Every structure is written in C-alpha cells, then in structure tokens.
Amino acid sequence: MKKRSVTLGLITTILLSTALVGCSNGNSDSKSSKSNDEKTEKAEKSTQVKTGADAKNNKWSFKNDVFSAGILTYKLTKSEVRDSSEDGKKVLVIYTDVTNNSNKEQDPSNIYIVSHAYQKTDTANKQLLPGMVALDENADSPLQKYEDALNDKLLPGKTTQAVMIYSLENDSPVKVSFENSDFKTLGSKTYNVQQ
C-alpha cells in the first residue's frame, strides 16, 4: 500500500500557481462592433482554463463542486461513508476527477494542503485527519487505484479519478473548505455523514 505523503517541493509549485487574470488596456471604441466583439472574446478567454505553460495563470476558485487550483482542477463527483481501517470508526470518501492543466507532471495529493475538513464535536470544530478505508478479505484497500491516483505524478494534460479520505469523529456534518495559494478560503461544501 502506498504511503500518503505531501512533498514540500510541490508546495512551492502550488504557491507559485497563483495567477492574475489578464486585463484589457481600457481603450474602447463604441463606434466599432468589431472592437466590442474582440472585448467579448477576450473576456471569454480569460475565464477559460488555460493549459500548458499558461496553466499557472488560471484563477483559483471553488464553484459548483469544481475546485480550480491553478495548474490542477478537481471536480468533486460523489461521496460516501465507509468503514475505517480503525476499529469502530468511519471515514468520509470524496471522489474527484483531477486534471493536470500544466505541461509538467503534478502531485494531486497537494489538495490536502489547500483543503481542510472540519466536524463539530461536543467541545470543538475539529479538523479531520486523512483516513484509510477498511481492508477487504485479501488485506487490500478496495479503493487502492483511487488512492494511488491521488499519490502518483499526474502527467500533463491528463485526468484521473482519485479519492480524498477523512477520518470521522462522529456523525455530525462535515464541512470541507477550499483555499487559494495564500490560504484564503474560496468556498466550502458540507457533507451529511449520518447513516
């Protein structure tokens, strides 16, 4: 089973991925429809995901279950509660499609640097730790291929299916927040984990 790790070298990559969306020069020609069409086209291009060397200029955001993190995009597809590898505990499994927008290999597990799961206990709003699902009768993780996909180097321009797994404290809702490279919260999603 692969060991979960977050490499410090790639933290720099995430921090450098913060981008400024290009601005127009402010000149306008109200008499020319061609000029207006060009401005509309430029505005549409600035909101599209850039790939290759320009991926570092993508704006970070979280909207409609899509976390755009500059060079990587995470589309949250579903979630489920499973038994944990720890006796008597449960885990929240969040499935995600991860796309590498850059022209270099990337580490999708860096999502754990800029996303955090919280669950209220009797005394605190506790940050949840990454967890592991219970092993099957062959001592294998039933989600191994998704766990591997999160920890493997994702090739340029490719998309893979991965999972984020959080160890639950109780059956209270879990709030997962998503941050930009300056660690400012962009948005969050709440998961109901009661069974």
Coordinates of all heavy atoms in Angstrom, one line a residue, residues 65-121:
D65 N -19.0 22.5 -7.2 CA -18.2 21.3 -7.0 C -17.0 21.2 -7.8 O -16.4 20.1 -8.0 CB -19.1 20.0 -7.2 CG -20.2 19.9 -6.1 OD1 -20.1 20.6 -5.0 OD2 -21.1 19.2 -6.4
V66 N -16.5 22.3 -8.3 CA -15.2 22.3 -9.1 C -14.2 23.2 -8.4 O -14.5 24.4 -8.2 CB -15.4 22.7 -10.5 CG1 -14.1 22.8 -11.2 CG2 -16.3 21.8 -11.3
F67 N -13.1 22.6 -7.9 CA -12.0 23.4 -7.3 C -10.9 23.6 -8.3 O -10.2 22.7 -8.7 CB -11.5 22.7 -6.1 CG -10.3 23.3 -5.4 CD1 -10.3 24.7 -5.1 CD2 -9.3 22.6 -4.9 CE1 -9.3 25.3 -4.5 CE2 -8.2 23.2 -4.3 CZ -8.2 24.6 -4.0
S68 N -10.8 24.8 -8.8 CA -9.8 25.2 -9.8 C -8.6 25.7 -9.0 O -8.7 26.8 -8.3 CB -10.2 26.3 -10.7 OG -11.3 25.8 -11.5
A69 N -7.5 25.0 -9.0 CA -6.3 25.3 -8.2 C -5.1 25.6 -9.1 O -4.1 24.9 -9.0 CB -6.0 24.2 -7.2
G70 N -5.3 26.5 -10.0 CA -4.2 26.9 -10.9 C -3.9 25.8 -11.9 O -4.6 25.6 -12.9
I71 N -2.8 25.1 -11.6 CA -2.4 24.0 -12.5 C -3.1 22.7 -12.4 O -3.0 21.9 -13.3 CB -0.9 23.8 -12.3 CG1 -0.6 23.4 -10.8 CG2 0.0 25.0 -12.8 CD1 0.8 23.1 -10.5
L72 N -4.0 22.6 -11.4 CA -4.8 21.4 -11.2 C -6.2 21.8 -11.0 O -6.5 22.8 -10.4 CB -4.3 20.6 -10.0 CG -3.0 19.9 -10.1 CD1 -2.5 19.4 -8.7 CD2 -3.0 18.7 -11.1
T73 N -7.1 20.9 -11.6 CA -8.6 21.1 -11.4 C -9.1 19.9 -10.8 O -8.9 18.8 -11.3 CB -9.3 21.4 -12.7 OG1 -8.7 22.6 -13.3 CG2 -10.8 21.7 -12.5
Y74 N -9.9 20.0 -9.7 CA -10.6 18.9 -9.0 C -12.1 19.0 -9.1 O -12.7 20.0 -8.7 CB -10.2 18.9 -7.5 CG -8.7 18.8 -7.2 CD1 -7.9 19.9 -7.3 CD2 -8.2 17.5 -6.9 CE1 -6.5 19.8 -7.0 CE2 -6.8 17.4 -6.6 CZ -6.0 18.5 -6.7 OH -4.7 18.4 -6.4
K75 N -12.7 18.1 -9.8 CA -14.2 18.1 -9.9 C -14.7 17.0 -9.0 O -14.5 15.8 -9.1 CB -14.6 17.7 -11.3 CG -16.1 17.7 -11.5 CD -16.5 17.4 -13.0 CE -18.0 17.4 -13.1 NZ -18.4 16.9 -14.4
L76 N -15.4 17.5 -7.9 CA -16.0 16.6 -6.9 C -17.2 15.8 -7.5 O -18.1 16.5 -8.0 CB -16.4 17.3 -5.7 CG -15.3 18.3 -5.1 CD1 -15.8 19.0 -3.8 CD2 -14.0 17.5 -4.8
T77 N -17.1 14.5 -7.6 CA -18.2 13.8 -8.3 C -19.2 13.1 -7.4 O -20.3 13.0 -7.7 CB -17.6 12.7 -9.2 OG1 -16.7 11.9 -8.5 CG2 -16.7 13.4 -10.3
K78 N -18.7 12.6 -6.2 CA -19.6 11.9 -5.3 C -18.9 11.7 -3.9 O -17.7 11.9 -3.8 CB -20.2 10.6 -5.8 CG -19.2 9.5 -5.9 CD -19.8 8.2 -6.4 CE -18.8 7.0 -6.4 NZ -19.4 5.8 -6.7
S79 N -19.7 11.3 -2.9 CA -19.1 11.0 -1.6 C -19.8 9.8 -1.0 O -21.0 9.5 -1.4 CB -19.2 12.2 -0.7 OG -20.6 12.5 -0.4
E80 N -19.2 9.2 -0.1 CA -19.8 8.1 0.7 C -19.1 7.9 2.0 O -18.0 8.4 2.2 CB -19.8 6.8 -0.1 CG -18.4 6.3 -0.4 CD -18.3 5.0 -1.2 OE1 -19.4 4.4 -1.5 OE2 -17.2 4.6 -1.6
V81 N -19.8 7.3 2.9 CA -19.2 6.9 4.2 C -18.9 5.4 4.2 O -19.7 4.6 3.8 CB -20.2 7.3 5.4 CG1 -19.6 6.8 6.7 CG2 -20.4 8.8 5.4
R82 N -17.7 5.1 4.6 CA -17.2 3.7 4.6 C -16.6 3.4 6.0 O -16.3 4.3 6.8 CB -16.2 3.5 3.6 CG -16.7 3.4 2.2 CD -15.5 3.1 1.2 NE -16.0 2.7 -0.1 CZ -15.9 1.5 -0.6 NH1 -15.4 0.5 0.1 NH2 -16.3 1.2 -1.8
D83 N -16.5 2.1 6.3 CA -15.8 1.7 7.5 C -14.3 2.1 7.4 O -13.7 2.0 6.3 CB -15.9 0.2 7.7 CG -17.3 -0.3 8.0 OD1 -18.0 0.5 8.6 OD2 -17.6 -1.5 7.7
S84 N -13.8 2.5 8.5 CA -12.4 2.9 8.6 C -11.5 1.7 8.8 O -12.0 0.6 9.3 CB -12.2 3.9 9.7 OG -10.8 4.1 9.9
S85 N -10.2 1.8 8.6 CA -9.2 0.8 9.0 C -9.1 0.7 10.5 O -8.6 -0.3 11.1 CB -7.9 1.0 8.3 OG -7.4 2.3 8.7
E86 N -9.5 1.8 11.2 CA -9.5 1.8 12.7 C -10.9 1.2 13.1 O -11.9 1.6 12.7 CB -9.4 3.2 13.2 CG -8.2 3.9 12.8 CD -8.2 5.4 13.4 OE1 -8.2 5.5 14.6 OE2 -8.1 6.3 12.5
D87 N -10.8 0.3 14.1 CA -12.0 -0.4 14.6 C -13.0 0.6 15.1 O -12.7 1.5 15.9 CB -11.6 -1.4 15.7 CG -10.9 -2.7 15.1 OD1 -11.1 -3.0 13.9 OD2 -10.2 -3.4 15.9
G88 N -14.2 0.4 14.7 CA -15.3 1.2 15.2 C -15.5 2.6 14.6 O -16.3 3.3 15.0
K89 N -14.6 2.9 13.7 CA -14.6 4.3 13.1 C -15.1 4.2 11.7 O -15.1 3.2 11.1 CB -13.3 5.0 13.3 CG -12.9 5.2 14.7 CD -11.7 6.2 14.8 CE -12.3 7.6 14.8 NZ -11.4 8.7 15.1
K90 N -15.5 5.4 11.2 CA -15.9 5.6 9.8 C -15.0 6.6 9.1 O -14.3 7.4 9.8 CB -17.4 6.0 9.8 CG -18.4 5.1 10.4 CD -18.6 3.9 9.5 CE -19.8 3.1 10.0 NZ -20.1 1.9 9.2
V91 N -15.1 6.6 7.8 CA -14.3 7.6 7.0 C -15.3 8.2 6.0 O -16.2 7.5 5.5 CB -13.1 7.1 6.3 CG1 -12.0 6.7 7.3 CG2 -13.4 5.9 5.4
L92 N -15.1 9.5 5.6 CA -15.8 10.1 4.5 C -14.8 10.0 3.3 O -13.7 10.4 3.4 CB -16.0 11.6 4.9 CG -16.6 12.4 3.7 CD1 -17.9 11.9 3.2 CD2 -16.6 13.9 4.1
V93 N -15.4 9.4 2.2 CA -14.6 9.3 1.0 C -15.2 10.3 0.0 O -16.4 10.2 -0.3 CB -14.7 7.9 0.5 CG1 -14.0 7.7 -0.9 CG2 -14.2 6.8 1.5
I94 N -14.4 11.2 -0.5 CA -14.8 12.1 -1.6 C -14.1 11.8 -2.9 O -12.9 11.8 -2.9 CB -14.5 13.6 -1.1 CG1 -15.2 13.9 0.2 CG2 -14.9 14.5 -2.2 CD1 -14.7 15.2 0.8
Y95 N -14.9 11.4 -3.9 CA -14.4 11.1 -5.2 C -14.2 12.4 -6.0 O -15.0 13.3 -6.0 CB -15.3 10.1 -5.9 CG -15.4 8.8 -5.3 CD1 -16.3 8.6 -4.2 CD2 -14.7 7.7 -5.8 CE1 -16.4 7.3 -3.6 CE2 -14.8 6.4 -5.2 CZ -15.7 6.3 -4.1 OH -15.8 5.0 -3.5
T96 N -13.1 12.4 -6.7 CA -12.8 13.6 -7.5 C -12.1 13.2 -8.8 O -11.3 12.3 -8.9 CB -11.9 14.6 -6.7 OG1 -11.7 15.7 -7.5 CG2 -10.6 14.0 -6.3
D97 N -12.4 13.9 -9.9 CA -11.7 13.8 -11.2 C -10.7 14.9 -11.1 O -11.0 16.1 -11.0 CB -12.6 14.0 -12.4 CG -13.6 12.9 -12.5 OD1 -13.4 11.8 -12.0 OD2 -14.6 13.1 -13.2
V98 N -9.4 14.6 -11.3 CA -8.3 15.5 -11.2 C -7.7 15.7 -12.6 O -7.3 14.7 -13.2 CB -7.2 15.1 -10.2 CG1 -6.1 16.2 -10.1 CG2 -7.8 14.6 -8.9
T99 N -7.6 17.0 -13.0 CA -7.0 17.3 -14.3 C -5.7 18.1 -14.1 O -5.8 19.1 -13.4 CB -8.0 18.0 -15.2 OG1 -9.2 17.2 -15.4 CG2 -7.4 18.3 -16.6
N100 N -4.7 17.7 -14.8 CA -3.4 18.4 -14.8 C -3.4 19.4 -16.0 O -3.4 18.9 -17.1 CB -2.2 17.5 -14.9 CG -0.9 18.2 -14.9 OD1 -0.8 19.4 -15.0 ND2 0.2 17.5 -14.9
N101 N -3.6 20.7 -15.7 CA -3.7 21.7 -16.8 C -2.3 22.1 -17.3 O -2.2 22.8 -18.3 CB -4.4 22.9 -16.3 CG -5.8 22.6 -15.8 OD1 -6.5 21.9 -16.5 ND2 -6.1 23.0 -14.6
S102 N -1.2 21.7 -16.6 CA 0.1 22.2 -16.9 C 0.8 21.3 -17.9 O 0.3 20.3 -18.4 CB 1.0 22.3 -15.7 OG 1.4 21.1 -15.3
N103 N 2.1 21.7 -18.3 CA 2.9 20.9 -19.2 C 3.9 20.1 -18.4 O 4.9 19.7 -19.0 CB 3.4 21.7 -20.3 CG 4.3 22.9 -19.8 OD1 4.5 23.0 -18.6 ND2 4.8 23.7 -20.7
K104 N 3.8 20.0 -17.1 CA 4.7 19.2 -16.3 C 3.9 18.3 -15.4 O 2.7 18.5 -15.1 CB 5.5 20.2 -15.3 CG 6.4 21.1 -16.1 CD 7.2 22.0 -15.1 CE 8.1 22.9 -15.9 NZ 8.8 23.8 -15.1
E105 N 4.5 17.2 -14.9 CA 3.9 16.3 -14.0 C 3.5 17.0 -12.7 O 4.3 17.9 -12.3 CB 4.8 15.1 -13.7 CG 5.1 14.2 -14.8 CD 6.1 13.1 -14.5 OE1 6.6 13.1 -13.3 OE2 6.4 12.3 -15.3
Q106 N 2.4 16.6 -12.1 CA 1.9 17.3 -10.9 C 1.5 16.2 -9.9 O 1.2 15.1 -10.2 CB 0.8 18.2 -11.2 CG 1.1 19.4 -12.1 CD 2.2 20.3 -11.6 OE1 2.3 20.5 -10.4 NE2 3.0 20.8 -12.5
D107 N 1.5 16.6 -8.6 CA 1.1 15.8 -7.5 C -0.3 16.1 -7.0 O -0.4 17.1 -6.3 CB 2.2 15.9 -6.4 CG 1.9 15.0 -5.2 OD1 0.9 14.3 -5.2 OD2 2.7 15.0 -4.3
P108 N -1.3 15.4 -7.4 CA -2.7 15.7 -6.9 C -2.9 15.7 -5.4 O -3.8 16.3 -4.9 CB -3.5 14.6 -7.6 CG -2.7 14.1 -8.7 CD -1.3 14.2 -8.3
S109 N -2.0 15.0 -4.7 CA -2.2 14.9 -3.2 C -2.0 16.3 -2.5 O -2.3 16.4 -1.4 CB -1.3 13.9 -2.6 OG 0.1 14.3 -2.6
N110 N -1.5 17.2 -3.3 CA -1.3 18.6 -2.7 C -2.7 19.2 -2.4 O -2.7 20.2 -1.7 CB -0.6 19.5 -3.7 CG 0.9 19.2 -3.7 OD1 1.5 18.7 -2.7 ND2 1.6 19.4 -4.8
I111 N -3.8 18.6 -2.8 CA -5.1 19.1 -2.4 C -5.2 19.1 -0.8 O -5.9 20.0 -0.3 CB -6.2 18.2 -3.0 CG1 -7.6 18.8 -2.6 CG2 -6.2 16.8 -2.5 CD1 -8.3 19.4 -3.7
Y112 N -4.5 18.2 -0.1 CA -4.6 18.2 1.3 C -3.9 19.5 1.9 O -4.1 19.8 3.1 CB -3.9 17.0 1.9 CG -4.8 15.7 1.8 CD1 -4.4 14.7 1.0 CD2 -6.0 15.6 2.5 CE1 -5.2 13.5 0.9 CE2 -6.8 14.5 2.4 CZ -6.4 13.4 1.6 OH -7.2 12.3 1.5
I113 N -3.1 20.2 1.2 CA -2.5 21.4 1.7 C -3.5 22.6 1.7 O -3.5 23.4 2.6 CB -1.3 21.8 0.8 CG1 -0.2 20.7 0.9 CG2 -0.7 23.2 1.3 CD1 0.9 20.9 -0.1
V114 N -4.4 22.6 0.7 CA -5.3 23.7 0.5 C -6.8 23.4 0.7 O -7.7 24.2 0.3 CB -5.1 24.4 -0.9 CG1 -3.8 25.1 -0.9 CG2 -5.2 23.4 -2.0
S115 N -7.1 22.2 1.2 CA -8.5 21.8 1.6 C -8.4 21.2 2.9 O -7.5 20.4 3.2 CB -9.1 20.9 0.5 OG -8.5 19.6 0.6
H116 N -9.4 21.5 3.7 CA -9.5 21.0 5.1 C -10.9 20.6 5.4 O -11.8 21.3 5.1 CB -9.0 22.1 6.1 CG -7.6 22.6 5.7 ND1 -6.5 21.9 5.9 CD2 -7.2 23.7 5.1 CE1 -5.4 22.6 5.4 NE2 -5.9 23.7 4.9
A117 N -11.1 19.5 6.1 CA -12.4 19.0 6.6 C -12.5 19.3 8.1 O -11.6 19.0 8.8 CB -12.5 17.5 6.2
Y118 N -13.7 19.7 8.5 CA -14.0 20.0 9.9 C -15.3 19.4 10.3 O -16.2 19.3 9.5 CB -14.1 21.5 10.1 CG -12.8 22.3 9.9 CD1 -12.5 22.8 8.6 CD2 -11.9 22.4 10.9 CE1 -11.3 23.5 8.4 CE2 -10.7 23.1 10.7 CZ -10.4 23.6 9.4 OH -9.2 24.3 9.2
Q119 N -15.3 18.9 11.5 CA -16.5 18.3 12.1 C -16.7 18.7 13.5 O -15.7 18.7 14.3 CB -16.4 16.8 11.9 CG -17.7 16.0 12.3 CD -17.5 14.5 12.0 OE1 -16.5 13.9 12.4 NE2 -18.6 14.0 11.4
K120 N -17.9 19.1 13.9 CA -18.1 19.5 15.3 C -18.2 18.4 16.2 O -18.9 17.4 15.9 CB -19.3 20.4 15.4 CG -19.1 21.8 14.7 CD -20.3 22.7 14.9 CE -19.9 24.0 14.2 NZ -21.0 25.0 14.3
T121 N -17.5 18.5 17.4 CA -17.6 17.5 18.5 C -18.4 18.2 19.6 O -18.9 19.4 19.4 CB -16.3 17.0 18.9 OG1 -15.6 18.1 19.5 CG2 -15.5 16.4 17.8

